[in-house]
Amino acid sequence: MSFLTGRVLVIGLGLIGGSLAKALRVRGICKTVVGYDRDADELETGLRLGVVDNIASDLLDEVRQADLIVLAVPVKAMEFVLADIKPALRPETIITDVGSVKGNVVRAAEALFGSVPQRFIPGHPIAGLEKSGVAAADETLFEHHKVIITPLPQSDPEAVTLVSRMWQGVGAQVLRMDVERHDEVLAATSHLPHLLAFSLVDTLAQEQDCTDIFRYAAGGFRDFTRIAASDPTMWHDVGLANKQAILQKIDEFSTGLNRLRSAIESEDSRAMLGIFTRAKASREHFTKILSGSAYTQNMTTKETTFFAQPGGKVQGSIRAPGDKSISHRSIMLGSLADGVTEVTGFLEGEDSLATLQAFRDMGVVIEGPHQGEVKIYGVGINGLQKPPRPIYVGNSGTTIRLMSGLLAGQSFDSELSGDASLSKRPMERVAKPLRLMGAVVETGENGCPPVRIKGGQQLKAINYEMPMASAQVKSCVMLAGLYAEGETSVIEPAPTRDHTERMLRGFGYQVDVDKNKVSLSGGGSLTAAKIDVPADISSSTFFMVAAAICPDSDITLEHVGINPTRIGVINILRAMGSNLELLNEREVGGEPVADIRIRYAPLKGIKIPEDQVPLAIDEFPALFIAAVCAEGETVLAGAEELRVKESDRIQAMVDGLKVLGADIEGTPDGAIIRGSEMGGGVIESHDDHRIAMSFTIASLRAKGAIEIRECANVSTSFPNFVELAQQVGIQVRKEEK
């Protein structure tokens, strides 16, 4: 049997020390586990229960023999234990601890040894129970829990590795953090909640007649105060050992509690709702952090794979999720408006939620979303507050580009960042016109995120001719124009989606459009409105193409936005021979909508008109699939914008279709696609949701199974894609690891 190390001495056989000792022994991680505790009864119990192999009758003798020593004693006792064992320590012996405060342990070691020994690696398992003592030892206690180790600059890498592997061996996830940051974080997330629970129970228990309080306590009280049953001595020691960090968090909490008290006393409903909605959203945010998803920094995204089987047909009536572009803008403009904006049909995908969270962070009270309904308590065009931290927008290019313009006009400094995929996307295309307006904007390496914006600049209006068609750049400049002195104009080389112009008018802001020129003057205000977000035509496209390529298919997509700047996919599919009808056309909240019915008809290849390219730029991955299933040759040109989306979409589609055996070649600004059969294969989606969904619908005409990797970002724009695909007849399943 291969052991990680030889002899391990665990000093302190309480719950944590006993559980670690038992886990090491049960899992065979070391040759021998020896326990030591000043309580002889605890030692005998540990031996009897099989927690340890042996017990130490002479501590110093055991220290001399140990290869690894684990200090599992209260934090205030660490310095005394270190002093006791110092005379017998060998230079090669590795030491670690389990204390929830690291600063005092490091200071004690420095005082005793002159400097912290290279093979002393401080650690802290984030695990525990209300029970205490060696009788409660549980070898599974650390499974699926985190352990933080806090190596120092002089720490021996070999010792760091061994301590990490020990904790991993008992089922824990090992994280690294510096000592000071560890104590700050734990003061907020562990120490403060425990001390508040003790204080609340103590306060209520001292009331003259407290019996009914505890007799009729509901689940919330019991859940919150459960941790007040923990070991008082341990928490006394923690309170003293991490004094400064805990006092700081108590002061911060007191400030927040006084803010709530003031809101209740003055019956300030908006302030109360702000506190409660931010707290609820943050709690859900934290839950998603723990589950490894959502719009959060430092997240570990689950590995998601789609498995699509060949065959099937597409039938039925469905409504795709709300339009992402309109959902983004409803939050942005609703936040800047005077009054309360009510939104229905809001897309509850991670991109839109990133925008919503950003405005909550800037002091906007937002209720929801709940089943697509959102209520936004606008703060006025100059009412945003400095966010407490850099704004993280996940994978949302719309959020980072549009908000760059909006933030350029604020009085406070700000920073925008995103996930690994977004961090590769170009931001200079928005930074350059903003600088022309007088904004101070910095981008990261290669002109990519993060984007840092200096507040307090007086913006000047510009007349900006865009070098390439981009609705995001146009909208960015227009939003900055709200804060600029004079009339800002944007001239487009080709039409792009006009959701920003339409919605600004819907909020009562004057926007002038003259052919390809859009203009507005700064200094105005917005008035709250009601917004009904139509189904997203980009999301609907996957089902439109699915029905268009699959014999015997007949599907109706309900309440789809058919904005004239977005209907390139409809025009292109019709030009290819698709049997596509627009039914029940109407206008909702300034946006045209319709039900779209598509029945299968043979498609033919075409040369895609270049004036349609900007109107279908996001839909081309799916249209590539339609082109492969068409008779003859399809030529796409003028679509170089596709190379700087979430991935290089031209190359991703060319590579993937070649894997399936299709006849396709890429060009600098498009592709030449010839009608051909598709087989099965493994596709890399490059974390691009549109690539993943496009190859899913390709399975309808493929001869073999298609495995599509890196599909986690589908949830950013189309959370229920797999479920809807299965509902209408596409044979796809999702696996997450």
Side-chain angles (χ1 to χ4, degrees):
M1 187 174 190
S2 176
F3 296 106
L4 177 62
T5 189
R7 196 174 184 89
V8 175
L9 172 61
V10 179
I11 301 178
L13 284 188
L15 172 69
I16 300 298
S19 296
L20 177 59
K22 191 173 183 181
L24 294 173
R25 185 170 182 271
V26 169
R27 293 171 181 248
I29 293 172
C30 58
K31 288 181 181 179
T32 307
V33 182
V34 181
Y36 175 81
D37 197 286
R38 291 183 176 177
D39 187 329
D41 291 338
E42 287 287 274
L43 273 179
E44 292 297 333
T45 301
L47 185 62
R48 177 171 51 82
L49 295 178
V51 172
V52 293
D53 295 302
N54 298 311
I55 58 177
S57 55
D58 184 323
L59 177 59
L60 293 184
D61 185 53
E62 287 297 341
V63 169
R64 292 185 187 96
Q65 299 179 61
D67 299 301
L68 170 65
I69 297 174
V70 180
L71 305 179
V73 297
V75 290
K76 292 299 285 183
M78 291 283 184
E79 56 187 301
F80 302 109
V81 174
L82 282 171
D84 288 344
I85 67 174
K86 178 184 175 184
L89 275 175
R90 294 179 294 137
E92 63 269 27
T93 300
I94 296 173
I95 310 173
T96 189
D97 76 303
V98 300
S100 69
V101 184
K102 302 273 61 97
N104 74 305
V105 177
V106 169
R107 288 189 293 273
E110 287 173 339
L112 277 169
F113 297 96
S115 63
V116 179
Q118 292 182 335
R119 293 173 77 80
F120 181 16
I121 313 301
H124 175 212
I126 312 294
L129 299 169
E130 284 82 51
K131 300 176 183 178
S132 60
V134 73
D138 179 358
E139 68 270 25
T140 68
L141 182 65
F142 309 107
E143 292 180 3
H144 311 299
H145 283 76
K146 294 177 176 63
V147 171
I148 301 171
I149 61 172
T150 59
L152 301 167
Q154 71 268 29
S155 294
D156 182 345
E158 180 189 6
V160 173
T161 299
L162 189 140
V163 171
S164 298
R165 289 178 62 193
M166 176 192 74
W167 285 115
Q168 290 164 350
V170 299
Q173 177 190 359
V174 177
L175 308 174
R176 294 192 188 189
M177 196 177 285
D178 67 49
V179 169
E180 184 177 353
R181 181 59 178 158
H182 169 276
D183 289 356
E184 289 174 355
V185 169
L186 268 293
T189 60
S190 176
H191 305 164
L192 178 64
H194 277 83
L195 299 180
L196 291 177
F198 280 114
S199 177
L200 176 60
V201 174
D202 180 54
T203 300
L204 296 179
Q206 293 185 52
E207 291 195 9
Q208 186 171 5
D209 186 3
C210 64
T211 306
D212 285 348
I213 290 176
F214 293 99
R215 177 182 294 154
Y216 300 112
F221 179 83
R222 290 194 299 272
D223 288 345
F224 177 70
T225 59
R226 172 185 58 81
I227 54 180
S230 301
D231 182 352
T233 301
M234 178 183 76
W235 286 104
H236 161 271
D237 290 354
V238 167
L240 295 178
N242 203 22
K243 173 182 172 180
Q244 293 306 320
I246 290 173
L247 288 177
Q248 180 182 341
K249 294 306 172 188
I250 289 176
D251 288 345
E252 292 172 3
F253 175 76
S254 299
T255 299
L257 191 61
N258 286 332
R259 191 182 304 122
L260 176 59
R261 186 190 187 286
S262 176
I264 294 172
E265 183 178 40
S266 61
E267 299 183 8
D268 187 339
S269 295
R270 179 177 293 197
M272 291 170 64
L273 274 173
I275 294 167
F276 299 150
T277 55
R278 285 194 300 272
K280 182 178 186 295
S282 297
R283 182 63 184 85
E284 293 168 352
H285 193 45
F286 298 150
T287 300
K288 293 191 175 190
I289 292 174
L290 296 175
S291 66
S293 63
Y295 44 94
T296 173
Q297 278 177 299
N298 305 321
M299 72 179 183
T300 303
T301 305
K302 289 182 179 177
E303 182 181 329
T304 304
T305 303
F306 291 173
F307 295 92
Q309 298 299 317
K313 58 185 176 181
V314 178
Q315 294 186 333
S317 295
I318 58 172
R319 179 166 174 171
D323 187 290
K324 183 164 63 169
S325 298
I326 297 174
S327 294
H328 282 304
R329 290 160 172 83
S330 70
I331 298 297
M332 294 181 184
L333 299 188
S335 296
L336 298 178
D338 296 314
V340 180
T341 292
E342 296 180 359
V343 183
T344 55
F346 178 81
L347 171 65
E348 296 184 38
E350 291 184 8
D351 280 9
S352 308
L353 292 174
T355 296
L356 190 151
Q357 185 66 32
F359 281 88
R360 275 196 174 118
D361 287 345
M362 290 188 288
V364 181
V365 176
I366 303 175
E367 291 186 65
H370 177 67
Q371 297 181 348
E373 295 186 359
V374 180
K375 186 178 287 187
I376 309 160
Y377 294 79
V379 297
I381 201 159
N382 294 308
L384 295 179
Q385 300 170 17
K386 180 178 176 61
R389 63 190 66 84
I391 295 171
Y392 181 76
V393 303
N395 192 242
S396 180
T398 300
T399 307
I400 197 168
R401 289 192 175 124
L402 269 62
M403 286 191 64
S404 293
L406 190 154
L407 291 171
Q410 304 306 316
S411 60
F412 50 80
D413 296 350
S414 54
E415 179 178 332
L416 295 157
S417 65
D419 66 9
S421 173
L422 187 71
S423 297
K424 299 174 185 175
R425 298 178 66 182
M427 293 298 140
E428 280 296 308
R429 59 179 56 187
V430 295
K432 288 178 180 177
L434 292 177
R435 292 183 190 120
L436 293 175
M437 299 178 77
V440 178
V441 183
E442 295 179 7
T443 57
E445 188 176 353
N446 298 320
C448 297
V451 178
R452 297 181 180 88
I453 302 166
K454 186 172 179 57
Q457 310 304 307
Q458 179 57 59
L459 302 186
K460 302 290 185 182
I462 59 170
N463 189 39
Y464 186 62
E465 292 192 28
M466 293 198 300
M468 66 171 60
S470 170
Q472 292 179 355
V473 176
K474 176 179 66 174
S475 296
C476 169
V477 176
M478 291 174 64
L479 290 174
L482 296 175
Y483 298 91
E485 183 181 337
E487 183 179 83
T488 296
S489 298
V490 181
I491 300 169
E492 302 183 271
T496 64
R497 60 188 63 178
D498 62 354
H499 301 304
T500 301
E501 299 95 299
R502 287 174 179 266
M503 194 174 290
L504 279 168
R505 290 197 194 103
F507 278 90
Y509 206 100
Q510 183 173 341
V511 179
D512 298 317
V513 180
D514 181 12
K515 297 179 182 176
N516 64 334
K517 181 179 180 180
V518 182
S519 305
L520 58 75
S521 296
S525 62
L526 292 86
T527 304
K530 290 190 176 182
I531 300 171
D532 183 5
V533 180
D536 186 14
I537 195 168
S538 293
S539 297
S540 301
T541 290
F542 300 103
F543 296 100
M544 293 162 60
V545 171
I549 66 174
C550 185
D552 299 323
S553 292
D554 183 351
I555 192 170
T556 299
L557 296 151
E558 301 168 349
H559 197 72
V560 180
I562 54 168
N563 185 295
T565 63
R566 299 283 299 280
I567 58 172
V569 63
I570 293 175
N571 298 335
I572 291 167
L573 284 174
R574 279 177 165 168
M576 296 176 75
S578 175
N579 184 354
L580 186 155
E581 298 177 86
L582 298 182
L583 309 173
N584 192 22
E585 294 188 54
R586 56 212 184 271
E587 188 169 290
V588 177
E591 289 281 348
V593 299
D595 301 330
I596 302 177
R597 183 182 183 188
I598 301 184
R599 288 168 284 183
Y600 172 75
L603 301 180
K604 62 180 185 296
I606 62 169
K607 185 178 188 304
I608 296 173
E610 289 205 25
D611 64 349
Q612 295 300 308
V613 171
L615 310 185
I617 197 68
D618 284 332
E619 291 72 61
F620 276 113
L623 286 170
F624 274 48
I625 304 300
V628 172
C629 298
E631 181 183 352
E633 183 177 87
T634 297
V635 179
L636 169 65
E640 59 272 11
E641 174 78 1
L642 286 172
R643 292 199 178 274
V644 291
K645 291 289 188 176
E646 282 83 338
S647 67
D648 179 340
R649 286 181 173 162
I650 292 174
Q651 197 61 50
M653 291 304 299
V654 169
D655 292 344
L657 284 168
K658 283 184 175 179
V659 167
L660 301 183
D663 187 354
I664 181 172
E665 58 186 276
T667 63
D669 63 346
I672 300 168
I673 310 163
R674 301 174 186 89
S676 46
E677 287 191 348
M678 292 181 288
V682 177
I683 302 298
E684 302 294 338
S685 75
H686 305 285
D687 284 319
D688 189 323
H689 51 290
R690 298 201 190 279
I691 304 299
M693 291 186 281
S694 296
F695 280 104
T696 300
I697 63 173
S699 66
L700 290 162
R701 286 284 293 269
K703 301 297 184 183
I706 302 176
E707 176 183 333
I708 309 155
R709 297 176 176 171
E710 300 176 299
C711 301
N713 277 332
V714 170
S715 64
T716 65
S717 64
F718 203 151
N720 63 334
F721 169 72
V722 170
E723 291 75 16
L724 279 184
Q726 292 169 341
Q727 178 182 324
V728 301
I730 300 173
Q731 300 178 61
V732 60
R733 62 183 174 86
K734 175 172 66 174
E735 284 190 5
E736 293 181 336
K737 296 181 182 178

